[in-house]
Amino acid sequence: MASSKHSDSTTKKAPVPFATHVVAGGTAGMAEALCCQPLDTIKVRMQLSRSGSLPGTRPRSFLATGANIVQRETPLALYKGLGAVLAGIVPKMAIRFASFETYKDFLADKETGVTNVGKIFFAGLGAGVTEAVMVVTPMEVVKIRLQAQSHSLADPLEIPRYRNAAHAVYTIVREEGFSALYRGVSLTALRQATNQGSNFTAYQELKKLAQRFQPERPELPSYQHMVIGLISGAMGPFSNAPIDTIKTRLQRATAQPGESAWTRIAKIAGDMWAKEGFRSFYKGITPRVLRVAPGQAVVFAVYERVSKGLETVRASIDEGRDAWSE
């Protein structure tokens, strides 16, 4: 998800300032969260559901799951966990863009500045691991705990275990220790690495292809950024759905004494296979694709637009400063 200034890996260009990553990435992330949080909540509920594993029950579709949440808990329940997402979205996006550019520049040919496809993929892997460790894992632990609560927002007497993101953090740390916020960090890092590796690579290659076929366009229009982002964003979910489902169940559960993270992962995966079958590893894949792919379309389009606007403003300020100094 690099800006247009970095989309061409064959040309060595000036780095985008860190402030641009923060503002453009944060704006893009907030737009994505506001648009796509309901689909993420439905995905989490589907991944946690045992429907279909008991005799006489069938797996609930994503439409039925969403309708059940709205009917039982009001439409606002589709935005459970949004506070945790918004609190982490600015640092997450800043770290994603800044670390990708750092890794890409480090891997580039020192003489030509060329970064080939393989190195772009590895830079994306590095960015995914970095954001997973620094921001995504604790943010998702809190978000999933909030989304897993099926209390009704319409009934004031139905008090949830976690009132909001801040209360969830406080309760988790007090009762389970600070390390609980990093439950599932290895799976989260693996998921984010594969997501960003495929995402950055596909986006930059498709963008270069679009520019090659439209040499008369100095900048691609926003709708093309959205289409390219939609395609590249859909690749990650299909490649790592089992990882995401196991991670969701791991992060919802409380740790058992004497049980290592890998033991819990193996136990969760074994139970899923034995009790729910192969399809359980792909529970929630439909809302996840419907959430991630459009989400990446929004992120790419907003990031490119905001980044370009910030660079235009910065150039104008520099020109004004130069004129004043003369």
Side-chain angles (χ1 to χ4, degrees):
M1 283 180 285
S3 69
S4 59
K5 283 181 174 286
H6 293 268
S7 63
D8 186 357
S9 61
T10 62
T11 305
K12 194 170 186 178
K13 298 182 180 180
V16 176
F18 183 78
T20 299
H21 294 302
V22 174
V23 177
T27 303
M30 284 188 286
E32 178 201 17
L34 292 171
C35 291
C36 303
Q37 182 68 8
L39 290 170
D40 189 69
T41 300
I42 295 171
K43 179 213 73 170
V44 167
R45 290 292 183 88
M46 290 181 71
Q47 290 176 330
L48 296 174
S49 172
R50 306 292 178 177
S51 178
S53 61
L54 299 175
T57 64
R58 294 192 308 172
R60 186 176 286 162
S61 70
F62 81 96
L63 289 176
T65 300
N68 183 67
I69 293 172
V70 170
Q71 182 179 17
R72 169 75 177 80
E73 306 169 49
T74 78
L76 285 176
L78 293 172
Y79 283 89
K80 284 181 177 179
L82 181 62
V85 174
L86 291 177
I89 206 73
V90 171
K92 171 186 172 181
M93 289 298 178
I95 289 168
R96 176 182 296 179
F97 286 112
S99 62
F100 172 73
E101 291 297 336
T102 300
Y103 297 140
K104 191 178 80 166
D105 290 343
F106 177 77
L107 294 170
D109 184 281
K110 303 306 178 186
E111 295 182 1
T112 63
V114 172
T115 308
N116 60 34
V117 175
K119 290 179 178 179
I120 288 175
F121 179 75
F122 279 108
L125 289 179
V129 172
T130 302
E131 71 176 11
V133 173
M134 296 184 71
V135 179
V136 178
T137 302
M139 180 184 75
E140 290 206 345
V141 169
V142 175
K143 175 182 71 71
I144 287 169
R145 295 290 183 94
L146 291 167
Q147 289 174 320
Q149 298 182 133
S150 59
H151 68 289
S152 174
L153 297 177
D155 185 355
L157 298 180
E158 193 168 349
I159 302 173
R161 176 173 173 76
Y162 307 115
R163 294 191 295 272
N164 50 50
H167 181 251
V169 171
Y170 172 76
T171 304
I172 292 169
V173 172
R174 185 189 63 185
E175 296 181 356
E176 304 172 51
F178 182 79
S179 62
L181 293 174
Y182 279 86
R183 186 164 299 141
V185 64
S186 56
L187 292 178
T188 304
L190 183 59
R191 185 200 65 183
Q192 293 303 110
T194 52
N195 271 349
Q196 301 315 321
S198 61
N199 203 9
F200 276 115
T201 305
Y203 180 75
Q204 293 209 352
E205 291 304 304
L206 289 172
K207 186 176 175 182
K208 285 193 292 184
L209 183 64
Q211 290 172 328
R212 191 175 303 132
F213 280 100
Q214 304 169 95
E216 74 283 358
R217 289 183 182 271
E219 297 286 345
L220 296 179
S222 293
Y223 80 89
Q224 291 188 20
H225 289 301
M226 293 190 74
V227 172
I228 295 170
L230 189 74
I231 297 170
S232 63
M235 294 183 177
F238 283 111
S239 66
N240 56 33
I243 297 171
D244 189 59
T245 303
I246 296 171
K247 175 199 72 67
T248 297
R249 296 196 178 191
L250 177 69
Q251 290 177 325
R252 184 203 180 182
T254 55
Q256 299 299 319
E259 215 177 31
S260 69
W262 287 107
T263 301
R264 291 196 298 273
I265 290 170
K267 183 179 179 181
I268 290 170
D271 286 346
M272 288 173 64
W273 180 269
K275 297 177 182 178
E276 302 173 62
F278 175 77
R279 293 180 62 183
S280 67
F281 291 94
Y282 284 85
K283 276 189 173 181
I285 185 63
T286 301
R288 187 175 175 220
V289 172
L290 290 177
R291 185 241 185 276
V292 174
Q296 292 307 301
V298 171
V299 166
F300 282 124
V302 174
Y303 181 85
E304 295 279 2
R305 179 61 60 184
V306 175
S307 180
K308 182 182 176 183
L310 290 173
E311 289 301 291
T312 301
V313 170
R314 190 166 68 98
S316 299
I317 293 174
D318 290 342
E319 288 178 5
R321 186 184 298 115
D322 293 340
W324 176 262
S325 63
E326 292 177 358

